[in-house]
Amino acid sequence: MREITVQALLDHGKDTLKLKVLAGESFLGRKVQETAMNRPGLALTGFFTYFAHQRLQIFGLAELTYLKNLSVEERRSRLEALFKRQIPGVVLTRNRRATREMLELAAAYRVPVLRTSMVTMDFVNACTVMMDELTTPTKRVQGTTLELMGIGVLMRGDPGIGKSETALALIERGYSLVSDDVTECRRTSRGRVLCWANNVTRYHMEIRGLGIIHVPSLFGVSAIRRQTELDLVIDLTVPTGEEDRTGVAQETVDILGVNVPLITLPVRSGRDMANIVEVAALNQKLKELGHDAAKELDDKIIDRLSGVGRGRR
Amino acid sequence: MGAGELSRELKVENEYGIHARPAALIVKEAGRFSAEIYLEKDGNRVSCKSIMGLMTVEGFPGSRVRVSASGADAEAALDALEALFVANFHES
């Protein structure tokens, strides 16, 4: 698991978390050890048993109203008890202002204090998603990713085998490009692999003989997709003669700990790869719906054979 | 790093770093060899036979990259790529 800092939340959540720093700007490098949030509630009354000090502390309407009803000295000592427990940061929701004690304690105990315009529940939901995104394992894989009818397909293979050319033919058929040649992957909390393109080269492709093209300019915005969940990996290979001819055995490949169905397609000149990839994606969709053509035919034959063996016709 | 992999650290010294043209030159040069050749910077490892890959490594001027190769002609491939880097990708 990757570590995150309060700064990372601030940077990545520019649009979604609406955070603003109120105090302790120099301490934004603090690590958020536990990727969850805590509403201090009881801790403000002085009860610190099971206090989740490694989490970001969220002050909502309840906490702030409670603090407001305390005397200055009381408020200071209650907050100090919280701040001195090495908390990673404090977030005030609903754009509430920090009390003077908070600003002083932020500096004294080197804790960043932030505020958001969001209401507590929305912020907690959005921040949970963000923390999850920032901490799950990511990986860069060599391959071109497309989305075909909602099926995420990653095509891999040696340079020059025809990944981009196949992708181009599929885009012409109305499917969408996610990334060409370099795909960034992240494991989601639902145990899927999410794929997207590198920021710099997003929606560009390199086609041998043509050079670099910009896909949405040529084919329109429907030809691109920002990200897709991976359903199928297709390896384009030089024919070896060892390929699976029945499709009964489903191979998988491990990507970030997720087993993704794998198909190995030998590339021969004159073979319409786009057509085959399209059918592979359709077939995968069918399998996910519970229909496995290869297995069904095999079962039918086995059933028939055993019937014949027992003298039944 | 695989077994039998050779690698060299090279410095990007041309004016704009590894943009489209130098990337294309690297791919062209790497394509002459059967060895598997990779370029690595800040933990990002991409194939030297992929223009799109090379453009994502952010090889800015003055940065250092590690080029590694494995295969029969690995040594020659590294020589060729090093020459390309030293020649500043033939930029005048």
Side-chain angles (χ1 to χ4, degrees):
Chain A
M1 193 153 104
R2 293 179 291 156
E3 277 187 334
I4 52 168
T5 58
V6 182
Q7 180 75 53
L9 286 174
L10 194 65
D11 293 344
H12 289 86
K14 222 182 290 165
D15 305 319
T16 47
L17 300 180
K18 304 182 171 75
L19 285 169
K20 241 187 169 145
V21 185
L22 297 176
E25 191 135 15
S26 356
F27 317 123
L28 288 169
R30 265 198 189 264
K31 290 192 177 73
V32 183
Q33 309 265 15
E34 241 182 276
T35 53
M37 276 146 284
N38 183 53
R39 289 194 68 169
L42 277 176
L44 293 176
T45 70
F47 183 77
F48 280 100
T49 312
Y50 301 122
F51 173 63
H53 72 279
Q54 291 184 324
R55 299 181 184 180
L56 207 56
Q57 304 295 318
I58 313 299
F59 283 64
L61 213 48
E63 284 81 3
L64 292 166
T65 311
Y66 176 77
L67 285 172
K68 218 160 137 190
N69 288 325
L70 298 175
S71 68
V72 176
E73 299 78 47
E74 194 80 12
R75 186 155 63 222
R76 194 185 162 81
S77 75
R78 302 283 181 88
L79 282 171
E80 184 160 17
L82 190 91
F83 272 76
K84 71 177 185 196
R85 282 182 159 76
Q86 300 283 315
I87 52 177
V90 168
V91 176
L92 314 178
T93 58
R94 294 173 180 264
N95 246 345
R96 293 296 158 134
R97 253 174 290 181
T99 64
R100 179 181 305 177
E101 301 79 26
M102 281 186 185
L103 300 178
E104 288 165 12
L105 291 164
Y109 290 100
R110 311 168 72 83
V111 174
V113 175
L114 301 91
R115 81 169 177 205
T116 171
S117 56
M118 298 168 91
V119 298
T120 311
M121 195 182 75
D122 292 347
F123 176 78
V124 169
N125 288 345
C127 195
T128 306
V129 172
M130 176 73 53
M131 283 181 168
D132 188 49
E133 277 178 22
L134 291 174
T135 52
T136 50
T138 60
K139 190 181 173 183
R140 171 178 286 189
V141 300
Q142 186 90 38
T144 297
T145 305
L146 294 155
E147 193 182 281
L148 297 87
M149 303 155 293
I151 302 282
V153 178
L154 167 70
M155 282 191 292
R156 305 188 301 183
D158 289 339
I161 197 121
K163 298 184 290 286
S164 301
E165 286 77 2
T166 306
L168 191 60
L170 287 163
I171 291 164
E172 283 185 307
R173 287 180 195 203
Y175 303 124
S176 314
L177 175 80
V178 177
S179 64
D180 180 40
D181 225 12
V182 178
T183 298
E184 312 280 352
C185 300
R186 175 169 71 78
R187 196 175 70 211
T188 69
S189 52
R190 295 194 295 142
R192 303 290 307 272
V193 176
L194 196 68
C195 298
W196 68 96
N198 177 277
N199 282 331
V200 183
T201 55
R202 172 170 291 140
Y203 308 144
H204 287 84
M205 293 181 82
E206 192 245 326
I207 305 293
R208 240 153 263 249
L210 286 184
I212 295 162
I213 61 167
H214 186 237
V215 172
S217 303
L218 289 169
F219 300 98
V221 286
S222 62
I224 50 167
R225 192 70 76 201
R226 192 170 173 85
Q227 56 185 37
T228 188
E229 275 188 2
L230 191 58
D231 294 286
L232 181 64
V233 176
I234 295 183
D235 278 352
L236 302 182
T237 59
V238 178
T240 57
E242 301 288 313
E243 297 87 17
D244 179 20
R245 296 293 293 261
T246 62
V248 173
Q250 174 71 75
E251 277 188 77
T252 59
V253 57
D254 183 304
I255 296 181
L256 295 165
V258 180
N259 284 326
V260 185
L262 169 73
I263 293 179
T264 304
L265 287 183
V267 179
R268 280 186 203 90
S269 64
R271 204 173 182 214
D272 182 356
M273 295 316 292
N275 191 24
I276 297 167
V277 169
E278 184 181 22
V279 173
L282 275 171
N283 203 32
Q284 188 59 35
K285 198 168 181 176
L286 201 60
K287 276 187 193 171
E288 280 172 18
L289 289 171
H291 295 287
D292 188 332
K295 196 174 170 303
E296 279 163 30
L297 178 61
D298 199 29
D299 287 349
K300 201 166 131 188
I301 293 169
I302 290 170
D303 191 48
R304 212 179 156 78
L305 290 177
S306 60
V308 171
R310 273 187 248 112
R312 185 157 53 88
R313 282 215 151 239
Chain B
M1 297 261 155
E5 191 176 81
L6 305 170
S7 82
R8 267 176 225 179
E9 196 181 83
L10 302 177
K11 198 172 173 196
V12 182
E13 286 182 301
N14 64 321
E15 194 175 352
Y16 298 110
I18 304 179
H19 59 100
R21 209 189 62 93
L25 286 173
I26 294 172
V27 170
K28 205 168 157 189
E29 202 63 36
R32 294 175 36 225
F33 300 93
S34 67
E36 282 196 28
I37 313 168
Y38 291 93
L39 186 145
E40 190 175 345
K41 181 175 170 285
D42 304 329
N44 284 328
R45 189 172 151 98
V46 298
S47 168
C48 277
K49 297 180 184 179
S50 158
I51 288 194
M52 297 311 254
L54 289 168
M55 289 195 299
T56 62
V57 296
E58 292 169 17
F60 55 84
S63 60
R64 285 173 185 281
V65 298
R66 179 155 290 278
V67 177
S68 50
S70 55
D73 49 9
E75 186 85 51
L78 288 183
D79 285 342
L81 287 174
E82 182 166 1
L84 195 59
F85 272 76
V86 169
N88 284 339
F89 307 102
H90 312 304
E91 282 177 11
S92 52

